[in-house]
Amino acid sequence: MKIVILDGHALNPGDLSWDFLNQFGKVAVYDRTPEDKIVSRIGDTDIVLLNKCPITAATLDACPSIKLICVLATGYNVVDCDAAAQRNIPVCNVPDYGTSAVAQFTFALLLEV
C-alpha cells in the first residue's frame, strides 16, 4: 500500500515523526505541495493525507488508484466530496482536532476579562 502526505508541515513542522505509518505501507511525506504538483505526487497512491491541498474531480480522474482521502483537519472543504463519492472513495477528517485547545483558550480569555 502506498501512502502520500501532501502538506505535512501544516500538522508536523518537524517535531513529530511520520515513521509509525511505515507499518501500513510505503510512505512519502512532502512538507508542502503546490497545486501543479498534486497529481504527480499522488501518482498511483492508495491513501492520500492532506491539510490544505485541493483534491478535485480532475485530480481523482488522473489518480484512479486512490482508495481513501484523509484530511488532517476539521473541515474537508478542500476535497470534492461529490466526485469522491461517485468513485466510492471515502473521505475522512479529524472532527475533534483542536477541541481541547479551543476550550482552554476560551477559558483563558474569560479569566483575562
Side-chain angles (χ1 to χ4, degrees):
M1 180 168 310
K2 294 181 180 179
I3 302 167
V4 67
I5 301 167
L6 293 175
D7 48 358
H9 189 270
L11 190 64
N12 178 10
D15 57 341
L16 302 172
S17 173
W18 296 106
D19 290 343
F20 73 95
L21 290 174
N22 291 325
Q23 65 184 317
F24 303 109
K26 183 180 177 189
V27 180
V29 180
Y30 300 98
D31 282 342
R32 293 175 180 85
T33 299
E35 284 190 45
D36 62 334
K37 299 243 190 244
I38 291 174
V39 170
S40 65
R41 289 188 174 175
I42 292 174
D44 61 349
T45 296
D46 300 297
I47 299 174
V48 179
L49 284 77
L50 58 106
N51 188 290
K52 298 175 182 3
C53 291
I55 301 295
T56 64
T59 302
L60 297 173
D61 286 339
C63 304
S65 64
I66 296 174
K67 295 177 181 66
L68 174 64
I69 300 169
C70 298
V71 182
L72 303 173
T74 55
Y76 44 88
N77 58 316
V78 294
V79 177
D80 186 336
C81 292
D82 291 333
Q86 290 172 357
R87 293 161 180 81
N88 295 317
I89 300 171
V91 177
C92 60
N93 64 344
V94 186
D96 291 335
Y97 176 81
T99 301
S100 296
V102 171
Q104 291 170 349
F105 187 64
T106 301
F107 278 97
L109 289 174
L110 285 170
L111 292 171
E112 178 65 24
V113 172

